[in-house]
Structures are given as C-alpha cells and as structure tokens.
Amino acid sequence: MARLNLLEETRYEKLPVSVYNNQHEASVAVANRIADLIRTKQAKGEKAVLGLATGVTPIGVYAELVRQHKEAGLSFKNVITFNLDEYYPMKPTAAQSYVTFMYENLFGHIDIDKANVHIPDGTLDKDAVAGYCLAYEKQIEELGGLDLQILGIGRTGHIGFNEPGSAPNSGTRMVTLDDLTRSDASRDFGGKANVPTKAITMGIGTIFKAREIILMAWSKKKAPIIKKAVEGEISGEVPATYLQLSQHVEFVLDEAAASELTRFDTPWLVKDCVWDSQLKKKAVIWLANEINKPVLKLTEEDYNNHGMAQLAVEQGPVYNINIDIFNQIQHTITGWPGGKPDADDSQRPERALPAKKRSIIFSPHPDDDVISMGGTFIRLVDQGHDVHVAYQTSGNTAVWDDDVLRYMEFAIDFTNSIGEDTTHLQKSYEDMRAFFPTKQPNEIDTQEIRNVKGFIRKTEAISGARYAGLQDDHIHFMALPFYETGKTKKNSVGEEDIQLTIDLLQKIKPQQIFAAGDFADPNGTHLVCFKIILAALERLKGKEAWVEDCWLWMYRGAWHEFETYEIEMAVPLSPQEVIRKRNAIFKHQSQKDRPVFPGDDAREFWVRAEDRTRDTAQRYDRLGLAEYEAMEAFKRYMF
Ligand code: F6R
C-alpha cells in the first residue's frame, strides 16, 4: 500500500526520509535507536535481534555503539545478530571477509556473546548452500524475527546483495553479483578480477519481515540511486524500491545523499522558495535545460508551466531575470585564468592585478593536474604567470607490477653500460621477480617496490609538467605521509602532512591556488588532500599578509564536473589546446590503456577529460552562450 503523504514538500517521496546535516550526526542518531532498542529489551528480559550490514556506510554507527559500550555501559549481552551477507567463496579470516569487517568494526570491541553472532558462511560446499540458507531463515524466525534491520544501498540499488532482478519475496540464497557492485568492491580486493562473482545474501523477503528497517546512505555518490529508491516507481531494476511497500521503513541520509531528491534539487517544484541569487541561477538553468531552450528565449509561460511562477511574480518580468542570469554565466567565461592584464576586471572571475601571479596547482595524484586542468595549466604558463605544481602524493599504489620490472631492467642495463657495478640492483630485481608471482591480492609491496612505483610516477609527472612549460625547480613532490601505507586504505592526516603544505605555501606565497575540490567520495584521497590545504591555509591566515590576497580555486577530478550553476570560472580551450592537453596526459604512461584503479569507467583518462570538457562547453552553448571546443571549470572556495 502506498504511503499517505500529507506534506507538500515531500510529495514525491514514497517512503519516510530523515535528512541530517552530516553522516556523523546521522550515524549517532541510528546508533541511539539501536541502543534504545537493546535497553528496552534488556529491561523486559528479552533478546534484541538485529540485522546488520557491512560496507563503509554503517561504520560510524558501529563506532558510536562501541563508544557507548565503553563509555556509557551499553551491554550487548542480550543481543543476537544476523548479518545480511557474505561473499562466496570467502574464508572468514580473509581481509575482505565480512566476518573480519564485523569483528574489526564492532564485535571485537563489545561484550556480545560470540555464539549470538551469525554471518553467512562463505566456506560451504556449493551443494550445502541451499540447506544452510533455509536454516539461516529458520533461525531468525525461531527467534521471533528481526527487531531491526539496518541497510546500506549499493549504486545498483541493491540491498544486501539483492541485485537488480531480485524478487520481492526472495529469501536467503546464493546470488551473482552485479558488474557495478564488483567494480565498487575492486579496491578492497586489489583489482576487480579478484572480487568473487557470488555471495550469500538474505533476501528482500527476509529483510521485509523485520519489524523496523533503517536504510542509510551518505555522500553525493549515493544521491542518484537514493532519488530512484525514494521517488522512483517500484521496480525489480532498483531492488531498494521494494522498500516503498513497507510500513516500517525509514531512510536516514546525510545532506549530500539527499541532494537529488526533489525537495532539495528543484525545491521550486514542491514549495515556495526564498530566491537568493544562487537558487535563481540554478532554477533558470534547470528550466532552460528542461525545455531545451536558450536562457534568453525563456518566456513567462515557460516559468509558469514549470513551477517557477513564484520567481516570475516576485522578480519578473522574466526577461530581466533571463538577462541577469545570462550575464552572470557570460562573466564566468575567461581565456585569462590568471586575470587579464590592463583590463577592467569588475566582471571577470579573476583579478587583473598583479598582472603576473604566483600560482600553485596542487595535484592529489601525479596526473590530476593535467587531466583536470591541463588546458588552464598551459594557459597560465603561456600567459607568463609564475606557475608551480605540487604533487601531493606519490601515487605509488596505482602502478602495475610488470612496469616495475621493466624499469629495473632499464636501470640494470644503463648501470652496466657506464661500467658500474650492478650487484645490488640485480639482487633487488631478483627479489622482486620472486615476490610478484606469490603476491596475494592487495598484499603490500616491499618498500623498494613502492619506491620504484613512486619514481615511475614522478618521472611521468615531471615530463607532463615540463611539457606544460614548467622549469624543474617549479615542480614539487610532497609525498605526503598519510598516503604512504602501500594499501588502498590510507592513514589519517597527521601534523607532518599539514606542515609540509605550510612550508611549500610559505615558500611560494601564491596569489592563486588550484586544488582538487572533489567532495563526492568522502573517503577519497582528493578530499583528504583538499582538507590538508585548508588546514594549512587556516593556520597561515592572519599570520602572513599574502594569505589575504590568495584565492583558492577548486577543480574537479576525472569523474565529476561542477553543475553549470556552480561554475565561477570557465576557461575555454581551442581545438589546438585540447591536443596539447592530451599530449600532457599521455606523458603519464603508467596510467595509459588500463590504469590499476579505473573506477567503473572503461574510458581512458584522456578520453574522460576530453568528453567532460567538451560536455561543459556544450552545456554553455545550449544555454545560448558562445560555442567553444571545450571548457575547464572552476569554483572559488572562500576560506
Ligand atoms: C553490506 C551490503 C551492501 C552494502 C551496499 C553499500 O552488507 O549488503 O548492500 O550495504 O553495497 O555499501 P557501502 O556502504 O560500502 O557503500
């Protein structure tokens, strides 16, 4: 039965949704509900039966439960747990197993009776799986069913490992994982080829029987699937939509995951809005795209028919609104990313003075500079600015093992050719050759191998930056320590990361900083690198005069671009500049053809970069602005 929704604002939402400022607050709220349930049951002398999930989403909830156990006396003695799923085949002791995950994040730190913990067994013989699954269901039933089931959601819309195509009444069973799910898991397994193709999962029917269901999602990465799950039609293509049929479900989201829901994304469709300039710009661009018309051709009728009558009435005539927005977009376009000397800069994104700026481009990995803003990089150099580039991490996890051998062979041959002794080199080389065939997925490389991988990326970065026109002394390698774990999981940011950044900033005293402002992936290296720069700037602010005149521009990495309404500087590229940028990206040979971490995008980095910048240019064109070959986009960050 569909939910009766009395609120206009949430009229597109087919199940209850709670939105929190951030994932921490949301996780604490969910943990509190679990703790309340446990205590209520305790008071009655009953067991609390919990359905638990793995993945990055529930980590904060588990951390808060552990905290409450340690600091507030929350006991788990009366708790029985059933985990949603496990890969198949999977040894419980493997680093990627959900058993390992659950003990690391929860069970290892609380007083739960281990006999009360149930996680599907990934070690069974194939023939034994069906019987085991029936028994799993029966155990839950005999305990009176699940009191509370917590869920994450995969980008396929899966809950548990119920991938698209799962039946609404499915029970615990063996399933085949979706290709996208395997790509998402590939980091944990050191490559997609190592991700199991199967899993054992509770069914949608099993989940449905829980007395309460809480589905959580954080970050922008989840926003599109959340929109489908909450506002879309019920369909086997998005298994989470079946939750719309439940009377006991709630979605708990952070603002980023909720950002594509109608009430946040296009609020004018569901309520009266306070029309600040940002919302106005967003709405007018949305309207133009929605009806496929350039901004200056939008009519009163278009506004009225698409939920924007309020804006037309309050701030019209619409012709004036159109012109205002058109001009705003027009003024973001500049061929002078370092400011245009001797020009009136009142309507330009960057200041004219000083005419020659000290600019620093921070690149989280050794190729983000050219992939994301190679055209602007080259322009800044061509226009005579004092440009520096700083590679924040070594990027040494993303190099293939056989490349290491190739470079070692080169080193040996060269050393031989100048008549030097190669004994040491030869020994290292032999060790590496012996190690690689025995290497387990995600096993950490030796320090020597990590060094070689880092050197490979270093030479490529130098080559790329040199191609863009930089002198060697303007190319900086920071090798920030937080990254140097040899694993995909990095350390937390330390004092040294910030200090190294402060040192470099103090040396250069930039008027302009370019940095990767990628907020989609909360655990990603880009965001960590951005936060380090911010921390450094915060500490320098008020102490050093140059900081007051320093502007921080964000660019986006290979995957996402800013929304058009967010763009504050759009740097057009000519067809010739697109080729120069491509050549700079080509210098990153170890990332060409097939990088170690391609994400879920089969395109090479240079293709992604070109598709993206062409798309940005086309978006401007469609709004009725000048038509360029490509455009790189930036947004200013006020610190
Ligand atoms: C985990 C599970 C999955 C995850 C989902 C989201 O037990 O069954 O459905 O909840 O894949 O994963 P994360 O939280 O890592 O984004």
Side-chain angles (χ1 to χ4, degrees):
M1 192 184 70
R3 183 174 74 108
L4 200 60
N5 192 348
L6 301 175
L7 286 175
E8 185 66 6
E9 191 187 0
T10 53
R11 78 185 141 108
Y12 287 98
E13 297 171 21
K14 296 173 177 160
L15 42 76
V17 175
S18 305
V19 184
Y20 289 80
N21 289 327
N22 55 55
Q23 98 182 47
H24 176 71
E25 282 176 27
S27 300
V28 170
V30 173
N32 285 340
R33 281 173 63 174
I34 298 174
D36 285 349
L37 171 74
I38 296 174
R39 289 206 178 92
T40 311
K41 291 277 184 179
Q42 246 157 25
K44 292 196 262 179
E46 291 173 10
K47 303 276 184 210
V49 187
L50 304 179
L52 298 181
T54 51
V56 294
T57 308
I59 288 178
V61 175
Y62 298 150
E64 174 62 14
L65 288 174
V66 170
R67 192 196 67 74
Q68 294 196 19
H69 169 69
K70 294 201 166 137
E71 294 172 20
L74 176 66
S75 169
F76 292 77
K77 286 252 187 287
N78 68 323
V79 175
I80 303 181
T81 65
F82 287 87
N83 261 78
L84 276 170
D85 42 19
E86 177 63 284
Y87 293 107
Y88 182 89
M90 178 57 63
K91 293 204 188 82
T93 49
Q96 300 87 356
S97 86
Y98 285 168
V99 175
T100 302
F101 176 94
M102 287 310 298
Y103 277 86
E104 271 179 8
N105 288 288
L106 183 64
F107 301 145
H109 314 283
I110 56 176
D111 62 346
I112 193 165
D113 181 349
K114 304 300 178 271
N116 287 341
V117 167
H118 305 85
I119 302 175
D121 185 351
T123 66
L124 298 169
D125 273 352
K126 263 211 167 82
D127 305 341
V129 172
Y132 175 85
C133 289
L134 277 179
Y136 204 74
E137 291 273 335
K138 204 153 161 251
Q139 267 179 306
I140 298 175
E141 238 164 70
E142 282 171 1
L143 287 161
L146 298 166
D147 291 309
L148 171 65
Q149 173 68 56
I150 65 168
L151 299 172
I153 182 168
R155 287 193 301 147
T156 57
H158 71 212
I159 47 176
F161 276 139
N162 294 284
E163 298 287 13
S166 298
N169 59 354
S170 50
T172 303
R173 69 203 186 287
M174 171 112 90
V175 292
T176 302
L177 296 177
D178 191 277
D179 195 64
L180 180 57
T181 300
R182 292 186 61 235
S183 300
D184 280 348
S186 65
R187 282 190 163 239
D188 294 337
F189 285 86
K192 191 166 162 186
N194 307 320
V195 183
T197 54
K198 299 212 173 277
I200 298 176
T201 182
M202 280 187 198
I204 297 178
T206 327
I207 294 169
F208 230 82
K209 282 188 262 174
R211 275 183 283 283
E212 241 186 302
I213 304 170
I214 300 178
L215 183 146
M216 301 176 287
W218 329 131
S219 91
K220 192 108 188 105
K221 221 166 128 180
K222 297 287 171 78
I225 196 65
I226 285 296
K227 181 177 174 70
K228 283 190 191 160
V230 174
E231 298 187 356
E233 294 301 318
I234 296 173
S235 139
E237 279 173 41
V238 181
T241 55
Y242 288 126
L243 295 173
Q244 293 174 14
L245 296 164
S246 168
Q247 299 296 315
H248 317 286
V249 69
E250 179 180 343
F251 276 30
V252 173
L253 310 176
D254 70 353
E255 281 182 358
S259 62
E260 290 189 19
L261 296 179
T262 304
R263 65 173 143 143
F264 300 106
D265 193 29
T266 49
W268 50 89
L269 295 177
V270 287
K271 62 175 181 186
D272 273 0
C273 297
V274 180
W275 289 100
D276 61 20
S277 62
Q278 182 78 350
L279 190 67
K280 205 160 83 178
K281 191 171 170 194
K282 182 177 181 183
V284 173
I285 292 175
W286 170 85
L287 178 60
N289 287 328
E290 187 75 7
I291 57 178
N292 210 2
K293 269 189 178 181
V295 170
L296 292 176
K297 285 191 178 172
L298 297 172
T299 64
E300 200 87 28
E301 209 184 347
D302 295 331
Y303 276 63
N304 291 342
N305 290 344
H306 292 85
M308 285 167 57
Q310 187 211 358
L311 176 63
V313 169
E314 282 179 17
Q315 303 197 16
V318 302
Y319 180 71
N320 292 357
I321 303 175
N322 294 346
I323 292 221
D324 173 27
I325 300 300
F326 180 85
N327 284 337
Q328 282 185 39
I329 306 171
Q330 174 93 308
H331 294 149
T332 63
I333 304 174
T334 183
W336 301 84
K340 185 169 185 182
D342 301 325
D344 169 14
D345 60 6
S346 57
Q347 304 287 356
R348 291 179 173 276
E350 249 300 355
R351 304 147 292 173
L353 293 173
K356 185 177 166 187
K357 292 195 175 57
R358 284 186 304 276
S359 304
I360 175 162
I361 300 169
F362 280 103
S363 181
H365 302 97
D367 55 355
D368 291 310
D369 54 343
V370 287
I371 290 174
S372 301
M373 54 168 291
T376 305
F377 186 171
I378 291 172
R379 259 186 193 236
L380 286 166
V381 178
D382 284 355
Q383 291 170 355
H385 299 287
D386 186 23
V387 182
H388 292 253
V389 64
Y391 299 102
Q392 293 174 282
T393 71
S394 69
N396 63 5
T397 53
V399 176
W400 296 105
D401 295 341
D402 45 15
D403 275 344
V404 172
L405 297 180
R406 196 153 66 88
Y407 280 84
M408 286 299 288
E409 282 152 7
F410 172 91
I412 292 169
D413 279 348
F414 181 74
T415 311
N416 256 327
S417 76
I418 55 170
E420 294 288 328
D421 179 24
T422 57
T423 322
H424 274 29
L425 270 176
Q426 195 68 38
K427 166 84 174 66
S428 300
Y429 172 71
E430 299 300 339
D431 289 349
M432 291 173 184
R433 282 206 80 161
F435 170 69
F436 286 138
T438 68
K439 188 173 155 183
Q440 296 300 304
N442 263 5
E443 185 174 344
I444 300 180
D445 287 325
T446 63
Q447 189 58 52
E448 268 187 354
I449 294 172
R450 275 149 66 188
N451 289 346
V452 176
K453 290 184 173 179
F455 298 151
I456 292 174
R457 297 212 67 181
K458 187 173 170 190
T459 55
E460 293 169 348
I462 293 172
S463 175
R466 198 179 280 153
Y467 181 85
L470 288 201
Q471 299 297 321
D472 292 1
D473 62 357
H474 279 45
I475 306 172
H476 309 272
F477 291 92
M478 305 180 77
L480 293 178
F482 87 88
Y483 185 88
E484 296 302 312
T485 58
K487 302 185 277 190
T488 44
K489 192 167 180 337
K490 311 297 186 234
N491 293 325
S492 1
V493 170
E495 193 49 37
E496 209 186 333
D497 299 304
I498 298 170
Q499 196 53 50
L500 283 166
T501 309
I502 291 179
D503 292 347
L504 185 67
L505 286 169
Q506 275 175 323
K507 200 167 108 190
I508 297 171
K509 302 190 176 21
Q511 280 105 3
Q512 261 193 329
I513 295 174
F514 291 90
D518 281 303
F519 304 122
D521 179 0
N523 307 303
T525 297
H526 284 208
L527 184 53
V528 176
C529 284
F530 189 73
K531 285 185 175 162
I532 292 172
I533 298 169
L534 279 189
L537 286 170
E538 287 303 334
R539 291 203 203 167
L540 289 167
K541 211 171 160 182
K543 292 208 187 96
E544 306 220 359
W546 63 266
V547 184
E548 311 309 317
D549 296 322
C550 177
W551 284 20
L552 172 56
W553 289 100
M554 299 186 289
Y555 61 83
R556 286 269 159 97
W559 283 273
H560 302 97
E561 184 52 285
F562 294 109
E563 297 292 332
T564 313
Y565 74 91
E566 294 178 306
I567 296 173
E568 289 172 354
M569 175 157 73
V571 180
L573 308 184
S574 68
Q576 197 49 38
E577 284 169 315
V578 172
I579 306 283
R580 284 176 76 190
K581 171 175 175 171
R582 184 190 302 174
N583 289 338
I585 300 174
F586 280 176
K587 303 295 176 196
H588 293 270
Q589 277 181 1
S590 68
Q591 307 303 301
K592 256 198 70 55
D593 304 327
R594 203 165 64 84
V596 178
F597 297 116
D600 51 29
D601 192 331
R603 293 171 302 168
E604 275 196 55
F605 287 124
W606 67 275
V607 182
R608 293 182 211 184
E610 286 183 20
D611 287 353
R612 190 180 77 172
T613 50
R614 195 179 311 110
D615 178 63
T616 308
Q618 283 167 356
R619 284 195 273 148
Y620 268 59
D621 176 30
R622 282 198 297 272
L623 293 173
L625 290 116
E627 185 178 353
Y628 291 96
E629 175 74 10
M631 272 178 167
E632 287 175 347
F634 303 87
K635 179 172 159 56
R636 198 173 154 203
Y637 190 94
M638 310 297 275
F639 63 90

